[in-house]
Amino acid sequence: MSKTAFVFPGQGAQYVGMAKAMTDRFPELNEKLETANEVLGFDIRKLMFEGPEKDLSLTANTQPAILIASVLCMIPFLNAGAKPDLCAGLSLGEYTAHVLSGTFDFEDAVALVRKRGRFMQDEVPEGTGGMAVAVGLTEEELKPCVEEASQFGQIYFSNYNCPGQITVSGEINALKKFVEITEKKGSKKSLLLNVSAPFHSPMLAGAGEKLYRELDKITLKEMKVPVVSNADAKIIKENTNVKELLKKQIYSPVLWQQSVETMIEAGVDTFVEIGPGSVLKGLIKKINRSATVYNISDPETLDQTIKELNL
């Protein structure tokens, strides 16, 4: 039987003006923005819609902004009658998935990802850590490269995005060496990524502990839609170990390719990416060419997806 999964983007998908067209078309969504402003104590609506981009790109601002934008794109789709069988999100996007599922209240999620962004940013001094990618090489081909680069500092696998796109995180000197080594190994493209911290690596273990203390203050609700966890690529149907998995997610590799494969094995053949950008759409098609993938980021893509799905 055909199943549908909703998936949500992570950090890097942000852009000035995201979700503005949705609030223009559906003015009732402004209530969510007012709630978010109250929770955060500043005008996130203005930052999302007007920028400046450099402030929007600060991790502590980016994370709540993307979650809010994704929720604003999701509400009209749900109101049109869309019903997911499963959901998941890339890194930060996993929190949006839990908002959809009902695990977190919107307000709790907004406050939590703001703190998550701060913890992740502050754990490692700026300029000492980051991320890199070597496009086109497999994990087996990358293992000796990571091992060799580790002689120059800490370096770890951090994101399994899709075949041929695996990222590493670590100390800058090790990452630079990794880029140099993988270029010689024949990668299509090796480069340092434009991020300010070694996300999803053991270097952020302290941030995971701080986040867990914040998670511990929140009462989780009953899950209405199963969520696939980044940390182990397994389907969660109850909230029992959600806090532990979200803590682990901060310092463990994001198993996105494996998560998509888990959903396909569970019968999902249609994915709807909801939120700014269309990065996940591209990744999913690389993981499984036969998957049907839509994305909803504005009223036009919303209308198109509703029409295609006969809602």
Side-chain angles (χ1 to χ4, degrees):
M1 187 180 163
S2 175
K3 290 183 180 177
T4 300
F6 289 7
V7 293
F8 301 96
Q11 197 163 335
Q14 73 276 3
Y15 57 88
V16 173
M18 59 182 178
K20 184 179 185 304
M22 280 294 197
T23 60
D24 291 343
R25 167 92 167 264
F26 304 100
E28 63 273 19
L29 293 174
N30 283 298
E31 285 181 28
K32 282 286 181 195
L33 283 165
E34 285 165 20
T35 300
N37 284 350
E38 286 172 25
V39 169
L40 295 169
F42 70 95
D43 195 347
I44 189 76
R45 182 185 192 276
K46 190 172 191 294
L47 183 59
M48 286 168 59
F49 293 173
E50 299 174 26
E53 190 176 344
K54 65 178 177 62
D55 291 347
L56 182 62
S57 295
L58 293 171
T59 299
N61 293 336
T62 306
Q63 297 204 12
I66 290 175
L67 182 141
I68 293 160
S70 299
V71 169
L72 295 178
C73 291
M74 174 175 70
I75 290 170
F77 190 45
L78 293 174
N79 289 344
K83 290 180 181 174
D85 298 289
L86 285 170
C87 60
L90 181 71
S91 186
L92 163 73
E94 189 168 344
Y95 289 79
T96 318
H98 278 294
V99 172
L100 166 64
S101 182
T103 326
F104 291 126
D105 289 336
F106 174 71
E107 294 87 341
D108 285 339
V110 169
L112 190 61
V113 298
R114 167 79 164 166
K115 289 170 185 168
R116 178 181 183 265
R118 280 182 174 154
F119 297 153
M120 291 171 81
Q121 186 61 66
D122 295 347
E123 187 63 23
V124 178
E126 196 171 345
T128 60
M131 298 176 73
V133 66
V135 178
L137 298 179
T138 65
E139 183 181 5
E140 288 308 308
E141 290 170 323
L142 288 173
K143 277 179 181 174
C145 304
V146 169
E147 196 174 327
E148 189 179 337
S150 70
Q151 295 169 42
F152 298 84
Q154 294 185 67
I155 183 167
Y156 309 93
F157 286 106
S158 53
N159 278 67
Y160 294 85
N161 289 327
C162 68
Q165 195 184 117
I166 299 171
T167 70
V168 294
S169 294
E171 295 176 306
I172 293 296
N173 286 341
L175 294 174
K176 286 179 178 174
K177 197 67 186 175
F178 171 82
V179 168
E180 189 183 306
I181 294 163
T182 52
E183 280 176 344
K184 288 176 185 171
K185 288 277 183 183
S187 76
K188 291 177 184 175
K189 183 167 64 173
S190 295
L191 72 156
L192 294 173
L193 298 176
N194 186 25
V195 297
S196 51
F199 298 133
H200 303 294
S201 78
M203 291 173 72
L204 292 191
E209 293 300 332
K210 288 172 190 166
L211 178 74
Y212 192 75
R213 289 196 284 273
E214 295 301 323
L215 281 162
D216 224 22
K217 299 173 188 174
I218 296 171
T219 303
L220 302 184
K221 307 292 194 321
E222 185 183 341
M223 294 174 67
K224 299 186 183 85
V225 182
V227 176
V228 181
S229 160
N230 281 189
D232 61 11
K234 290 180 180 173
I235 297 170
I236 318 162
K237 294 182 179 176
E238 295 177 355
N239 64 28
T240 322
N241 62 342
V242 164
K243 292 178 180 181
E244 194 63 43
L245 286 167
L246 290 175
K247 167 190 158 183
K248 189 180 176 188
Q249 191 223 60
I250 279 196
Y251 56 80
S252 303
V254 169
L255 306 179
W256 182 249
Q257 179 179 336
Q258 296 88 331
S259 297
V260 171
E261 288 167 349
T262 293
M263 289 185 272
I264 290 167
E265 283 167 21
V268 171
D269 57 10
T270 302
F271 293 85
V272 185
E273 177 181 7
I274 303 173
S278 57
V279 169
L280 300 185
K281 184 176 181 180
L283 295 180
I284 291 166
K285 291 302 281 185
K286 286 176 184 171
I287 294 165
N288 189 306
R289 290 180 186 279
S290 63
T292 301
V293 193
Y294 303 100
N295 84 294
I296 295 173
S297 57
D298 54 33
E300 289 73 34
T301 47
L302 171 69
D303 291 342
Q304 187 181 341
T305 304
I306 287 171
K307 184 181 176 185
E308 293 280 350
L309 294 176
N310 295 313
L311 295 177

